[in-house]
Amino acid sequence: MAEAIDLLIVGGGITGQSAALTAAGAGARVAIVDMAQNVGSHANAGSLHVQMQSRFLRLNPHLAENVESSLPLYLAAVAEWDVLDEALGGVELTREGGLMLAEGADQMAFLREKAEREAKKGLAVDILERPELERIAPYLGPNIVGAEICRDEGKVNPLIANRKMNARLSALGVRHIADRIIGIEAGDGKPAAIGQARHKAAHILIAAAWGTEALTRSLGLRLPTPPEPLHMNITEAGEYAIKHLVQHAERSITLKQFRSGQVVIGGGWPARQNGVESTPRVRGDSLLGNVALAAAIAPGIAGLRVLRTWAGVNTPVDGKATIGPVRPGARVSLSLPGDAGYTLGPIVGRSAAEQILGLPSQIDPTPFAPNRWYD
Amino acid sequence: MSKTVRFTFDGEPQTATGSVSVAAALTGAGHTRLRRTDGDSARGMFCGIGVCQDCLVTIDGRPNRRACMTLLEDGMTVETQAARAPLSGPAPPRLKAERLSPDVLIIGGGAAGLAAGIAARAEGAEVLLLDERKVAGGQYFKQPARADAPAMDPQQADGAALVARARESGVTIVAGAEVWGAFDGPEIMASTATHVYVLTPRALIVATGAYERPIMIPGWTLPGVMTVGAAQTLWRSYGVLPGKRVAIFGNGPLCAQVALELSKGGAEIAVLGETAAPGWTQPRAVAAMALSNRALAAKGAGMLAGLRRRGIAVTWRAKPLAIEQTGAGLTVAYQAGKRHRQVTVDAVCLNFGFQPQNEILRLLGTAMRFDARFGQLRPDRSAVMETSVPGVYAVGDCCGLGGAHAAMVEGRIAGRAAAGGSGPTDKESAELSGHRRFQDALWQVYAADEPPGIEHATPETLICRCEEVTCAKLDDALKAGGSDIGAIKRATRIGMGRCQGRYCAPVLAAYLAGKQGRPLEDLSFFAPQVPIKPVDIATVAATEALLETPPADG
């Protein structure tokens, strides 16, 4: 018989892994059960977001308040990435800031107002006019009139981060179970995750992103987590020149360059997915639109060629994290970043694990309690 | 008259004669080091057909141009490509965007594609044919780059005649066209130096051929080491020899053919090493070959006789072990039977079988089956060469090795069917099975003990030449628990480089399957993704103008 598990984590993305790192580091016997679909954290492109993403606001104007109130969590999240960078021995993390570009006076006005709101929440933001912007981002096109800079933002190389995280968890003795969990049993005794096998543990943490909805229905929650299949592109390596995470005030784009020289172009262009369990596929129109937009705002990249494209899945939920036991005292907990999962994963996973183990937490988890999802 | 073309390489004035690729011009001028890698190694032309991306140079300030696929122009400034090009190059040229919907679209202008085009035109269909090279003909018929150059031999003359027939029949041939996108529909995206295209044909015929498999041994990435086909293109298309003294190692009749051609061109063939045992040890297979196609068997026998007359002895059961850059050139250590030998040459040519270029088929989701004998995926096809995706046909070596003669029959059958004509005639069916019997016997004669995998690679041997992933690094990732090919890719970057896994994927898939005791199948390989070949950002941007409805961004 296998050794007893103190904490079973459903989902092997960055959130579940971070929870495992915290719990195993505190001496708990931890196992991660994962279905190896590999389209969340393992398909992520490594942006570390802090400022409010114009794209989310445009698509979900009714959730603006959730996003704005989460800004301190984003600040804690990037600080947690600094800790992780140190702990894992370097994940190509840079915190050189993020630019949100404007192409006209109205967009500049929007950014000014946004920056003011963000500054109140403690973000290090400034408005840059064209000359100042040109000095730090000479690759930009002439149509860009200015930008908001958020000095807290940055990027990591997710390939390196995921590999080093895996190695660290193995070294800590975290077990890895390959199974697809289809339900959670939470009776009076030990809870169990049900897949091909029945996995019992003293406590279960659901870190299953878009899979959360199906697993929490029987737990008395109505928590919609539709997957958002997204498109990404990567180029061959060029000289390191794009130091910031680049976004646009009105259009969907993220543009950044890894230290290794490749430029990653993404930002939420749709991919095609037939059902939550299928691997999303690249759409031709997204590829054309996304790359053409990148070429228009940053003509300096025109000498590079696109090498690969791929699709991954984001789980936006309601723009606010969900962290903690499904009911006070329950032995099943949730850790769901609620958009920007790769940025928020480490802090959300860590906080969830800290609550389960009764450790002091860096953030106040009360606003993120699952009670807003009670059926 | 061949005219002299002037250009510079890293600031030094150079000249070349006639119509040649940049790679051929540089080879002729003695320059084989064309780019630096991230690990600061030198690389040069390897595949010669636009696949490996190791001959990248900067031309007139524009980085990342393939020297093998770019025709030299008077006054060009060519520079060694730095590992990471600056993001400050000149603005790319403006490209004209066109959306076309031909009755039949053929991708690939080799034996299969040309035959398909002629047959489809005979049925009255409007036919558009895209070919990657400046001159159609494909790898078998390899045409000279200069239009007025006389044919070197009957094989080249037959090719010229086939290209001429295709043109006369009214096939529209777009040369220098790179297909980079394939989406359901089918919807094909392609580009030339001046145009970008979105193509939505009524029927699609994929005739993309194959590329050569190397052997992964220490030094296989050194400048001056190239595929046998690359050396053949240098000579047959551009009249340039890969070096004065050449070693050829590989498996199959192409090696002997190219040895003979280069020798006639004035090169010294220091070694012609063949993996297989000599044909006389397999009299039955030789007899079967002769029975199934007397003419082709005679051509093969003539080739071996020609080699003997020129004093070139085939070293049977030969296997290269390592290549090293020494003061005198490239020194190859090799095995000849049980003996170890070494030879020093200017150029080393390798061909250890072929890999079908089936990226378009895999992207369109055609059903594929793994052929263990040749280590290749082959698409399921009907009697008229239609794949499991209606309206998508596949012909020739992109469906697994079959040879140019079978490819032409397949092309005829598919071309007619795609244009709404009748199925194969009895004569065509008989011809096709004759060619297939010949191929079967041929590869029995040339049967090697084992396909060139990585089981015998040394720890420091590069498995992924683009991302410079060694065998040791790959083994570490396997030990760390990587189980599927995607996980190994993410952990090591193997297959993430410019050739998009074309060299490492087949051997890695076989290696993983072997270790895990699983059969190879479609899913054993990297998942197919666009772009099919690296595509200029400017090309993608110009193609966006052809979108019928602007996509919803987000």
Side-chain angles (χ1 to χ4, degrees):
Chain A
M1 189 171 150
E3 200 192 340
I5 300 169
D6 300 322
L7 177 61
L8 176 73
I9 298 165
V10 181
I14 191 69
T15 307
Q17 287 181 317
S18 300
L21 186 67
T22 302
R29 291 165 298 182
V30 181
I32 292 175
V33 57
D34 184 77
M35 64 188 277
Q37 196 184 0
N38 296 331
V39 295
S41 292
H42 294 282
N44 190 272
S47 298
L48 295 184
H49 291 287
V50 177
Q51 63 180 310
M52 293 190 278
Q53 292 187 64
S54 55
R55 171 174 167 275
F56 189 94
L57 297 179
R58 198 172 64 250
L59 293 174
N60 310 283
H62 59 292
L63 295 173
E65 169 48 33
N66 273 357
V67 175
E68 195 162 354
S69 67
S70 296
L71 288 173
L73 183 67
Y74 278 88
L75 281 176
V78 287
E80 182 64 18
W81 265 109
D82 283 341
V83 172
L84 212 48
D85 186 46
E86 181 81 31
L88 296 179
V91 295
E92 267 187 26
L93 177 135
T94 69
R95 289 273 297 280
E96 288 161 287
L99 299 171
M100 192 169 282
L101 308 177
E103 282 188 89
D106 51 336
Q107 291 177 9
M108 278 300 269
F110 163 76
L111 291 179
R112 274 202 184 86
E113 196 225 303
K114 184 168 93 74
E116 225 168 86
R117 280 157 63 189
E118 288 166 339
K120 282 186 193 145
K121 297 285 182 181
L123 273 60
V125 290
D126 272 311
I127 294 294
L128 305 178
E129 301 293 341
R130 173 81 201 188
E132 215 180 331
L133 179 61
E134 211 170 289
R135 268 200 299 282
I136 60 168
Y139 50 84
L140 292 174
N143 45 338
I144 308 299
V145 299
E148 178 188 351
I149 183 166
C150 173
R151 299 183 201 283
D152 307 296
E153 293 194 308
K155 59 204 171 187
V156 297
N157 186 327
L159 292 171
I160 296 174
N162 294 339
R163 175 167 53 79
K164 290 193 171 176
M165 179 65 112
N166 271 328
R168 176 56 53 89
L169 294 179
S170 296
L172 284 171
V174 173
R175 280 171 52 200
H176 204 275
I177 304 166
D179 201 351
R180 190 170 77 84
I181 302 304
I182 53 168
I184 304 288
E185 274 177 20
D188 293 334
K190 279 187 176 182
I194 314 302
Q196 296 273 327
R198 204 159 168 274
H199 312 276
K200 272 179 122 173
H203 207 116
I204 290 178
L205 176 65
I206 300 173
W210 64 93
T212 306
E213 180 172 5
L215 297 180
T216 51
R217 228 174 265 139
S218 65
L219 304 173
L221 301 185
R222 188 181 291 270
L223 201 179
T225 55
E228 184 186 29
L230 299 179
H231 173 95
M232 268 154 295
N233 315 273
I234 190 162
T235 71
E236 61 198 331
E239 199 173 68
Y240 185 61
I242 304 174
K243 300 190 168 133
H244 304 88
L245 168 63
V246 181
Q247 298 186 79
H248 192 280
E250 222 166 64
R251 304 203 58 195
S252 286
I253 188 145
T254 57
L255 177 75
K256 60 181 175 287
Q257 191 175 16
F258 287 143
R259 282 280 179 184
S260 47
Q262 292 99 352
V263 177
V264 184
I265 302 164
W269 290 68
R272 194 155 36 95
Q273 195 181 22
N274 301 317
V276 277
E277 275 162 41
S278 75
T279 300
R281 293 197 56 189
V282 165
R283 267 172 51 171
D285 58 352
S286 284
L287 164 57
L288 296 178
N290 197 185
V291 173
L293 177 56
I297 64 173
I301 63 173
L304 301 178
R305 298 172 301 166
V306 176
L307 283 196
R308 277 179 293 130
T309 62
W310 73 98
V313 167
N314 181 38
T315 310
V317 202
D318 60 345
K320 185 174 167 180
T322 303
I323 308 169
V326 292
R327 306 268 164 186
R331 298 167 83 173
V332 177
S333 294
L334 300 182
S335 54
L336 184 64
D339 206 32
Y342 205 72
T343 300
L344 294 174
I347 192 72
V348 169
R350 179 197 179 109
S351 302
E354 284 167 344
Q355 273 194 72
I356 291 166
L357 300 168
L359 299 171
S361 184
Q362 287 184 348
I363 59 157
D364 171 16
T366 327
F368 308 110
N371 54 14
R372 69 185 188 276
W373 305 114
Y374 287 172
D375 197 1
Chain B
M1 257 308 281
S2 292
K3 70 173 202 312
T4 299
V5 184
R6 280 165 220 287
F7 68 106
T8 63
F9 181 59
D10 288 341
E12 294 288 318
Q14 312 279 343
T15 56
T17 309
S19 189
V20 292
S21 70
V22 171
L26 288 169
T27 306
H31 294 289
T32 55
R33 296 160 170 261
L34 305 184
R35 80 171 187 101
R36 308 295 302 183
T37 67
D38 235 36
D40 206 29
S41 299
R43 291 287 169 82
M45 184 192 63
F46 177 67
C47 74
I49 55 168
V51 166
C52 77
Q53 310 282 332
D54 255 344
C55 67
L56 296 181
V57 287
T58 297
I59 297 180
D60 296 336
R62 289 187 71 205
N64 303 315
R65 306 293 106 193
R66 287 172 301 177
C68 74
M69 299 299 281
T70 308
L71 224 48
L72 183 70
E73 286 170 27
D74 204 43
M76 264 183 177
T77 304
V78 183
E79 291 161 286
T80 302
Q81 173 71 56
R84 299 180 190 181
L87 300 193
S88 54
R94 285 200 169 279
L95 300 167
K96 200 163 173 259
E98 271 189 74
R99 180 178 270 276
L100 300 170
S101 302
D103 294 335
V104 177
L105 173 66
I106 301 170
I107 303 176
L114 290 167
I118 295 165
R121 279 297 301 145
E123 297 294 323
E126 178 202 358
V127 180
L128 183 66
L129 186 152
L130 305 180
D131 190 56
E132 233 174 352
R133 302 199 79 95
K134 301 290 182 231
V135 184
Q139 297 306 319
Y140 178 76
F141 289 126
K142 231 159 241 183
Q143 294 297 293
R146 228 181 73 215
D148 58 343
M152 257 179 197
D153 49 30
Q155 189 170 328
Q156 216 170 41
D158 288 350
L162 188 65
V163 177
R165 266 180 61 210
R167 285 194 191 285
E168 284 155 17
S169 73
V171 175
T172 306
I173 299 177
V174 178
E178 186 89 76
V179 171
W180 63 268
F183 300 92
D184 290 348
E187 185 177 54
I188 300 296
M189 294 178 190
S191 66
T192 67
T194 54
H195 283 70
V196 296
Y197 300 95
V198 171
L199 303 151
T200 46
R202 226 183 50 208
L204 171 68
I205 302 179
V206 180
T208 41
Y211 61 98
E212 294 165 272
R213 282 184 75 148
I215 185 166
M216 291 167 177
I217 54 173
W220 73 286
T221 55
L222 287 169
V225 179
M226 66 188 79
T227 64
V228 171
Q232 190 188 33
T233 301
L234 281 178
W235 177 242
R236 284 179 82 86
S237 295
Y238 308 120
V240 171
L241 290 169
K244 287 198 186 77
R245 205 170 132 79
V246 178
I248 300 178
F249 289 95
N251 182 217
L254 182 67
C255 298
Q257 182 183 341
V258 173
L260 186 57
E261 287 168 6
L262 296 180
S263 167
K264 284 181 180 167
E268 179 197 345
I269 305 301
V271 189
L272 168 55
E274 165 59 53
T275 314
W280 60 79
T281 61
Q282 311 202 52
R284 267 215 196 147
V286 172
M289 204 166 81
L291 273 175
S292 56
N293 194 319
R294 200 170 293 272
L296 281 179
K299 191 176 164 188
M303 214 160 65
L304 292 176
L307 285 170
R308 273 195 299 276
R309 273 199 300 279
R310 306 191 72 87
I312 301 167
V314 181
T315 305
W316 301 98
R317 298 190 182 95
K319 193 171 141 192
L321 302 170
I323 309 168
E324 206 185 336
Q325 179 72 56
T326 55
L330 294 164
T331 300
V332 191
Y334 67 101
Q335 215 174 307
K338 293 198 167 80
R339 294 197 184 144
H340 283 247
R341 291 185 190 161
Q342 99 177 19
V343 64
T344 299
V345 290
D346 305 321
V348 181
C349 307
L350 306 171
N351 173 303
F352 288 81
F354 296 86
Q355 201 58 40
Q357 306 216 67
N358 52 24
E359 300 85 4
I360 295 171
L361 298 173
R362 294 188 71 216
L363 272 165
L364 295 177
T366 65
M368 309 287 275
R369 251 169 245 243
F370 188 72
D371 174 346
R373 182 175 169 201
F374 291 95
Q376 301 171 337
L377 288 173
R378 294 185 188 268
D380 291 345
R381 291 182 294 172
S382 71
V384 293
M385 310 299 148
E386 194 171 16
T387 65
S388 63
V389 177
V392 177
Y393 298 76
V395 289
D397 284 356
C398 71
C399 306
L401 199 60
H405 297 86
M408 281 189 283
V409 183
E410 290 183 5
R412 270 200 322 264
I413 294 170
R416 205 164 56 233
S422 54
T425 62
D426 290 347
K427 185 167 169 273
E428 282 166 343
S429 303
E431 264 182 87
L432 194 53
S433 43
H435 291 312
R436 285 179 179 162
R437 273 199 308 279
F438 176 80
Q439 280 289 318
D440 182 63
L442 175 72
W443 290 104
Q444 273 178 45
V445 172
Y446 277 102
D449 290 343
E450 55 194 273
I454 46 180
E455 287 77 3
H456 305 292
T458 58
E460 68 277 12
T461 304
L462 291 179
I463 305 302
C464 172
R465 56 187 292 137
C466 303
E467 294 295 319
E468 300 174 274
V469 181
T470 61
C471 195
K473 216 166 150 190
L474 175 62
D475 279 329
D476 285 347
L478 287 167
K479 276 188 213 122
S483 51
D484 67 287
I485 196 164
I488 298 290
K489 181 178 184 176
R490 290 189 293 272
T492 62
R493 301 192 57 83
I494 192 166
M496 284 195 176
R498 290 178 167 113
C499 92
Q500 302 164 307
R502 280 178 171 82
Y503 293 103
C504 61
V507 290
L508 177 59
Y511 191 50
L512 281 176
K515 286 215 159 192
Q516 296 162 354
R518 281 185 306 162
L520 273 163
E521 49 176 13
D522 197 2
L523 294 176
S524 307
F525 296 83
F526 294 133
Q529 297 285 26
V530 283
I532 293 160
K533 294 269 178 75
V535 60
D536 283 327
I537 282 181
T539 298
V540 182
T543 311
E544 194 237 9
L546 291 172
L547 282 179
E548 273 164 348
T549 49
D553 58 350

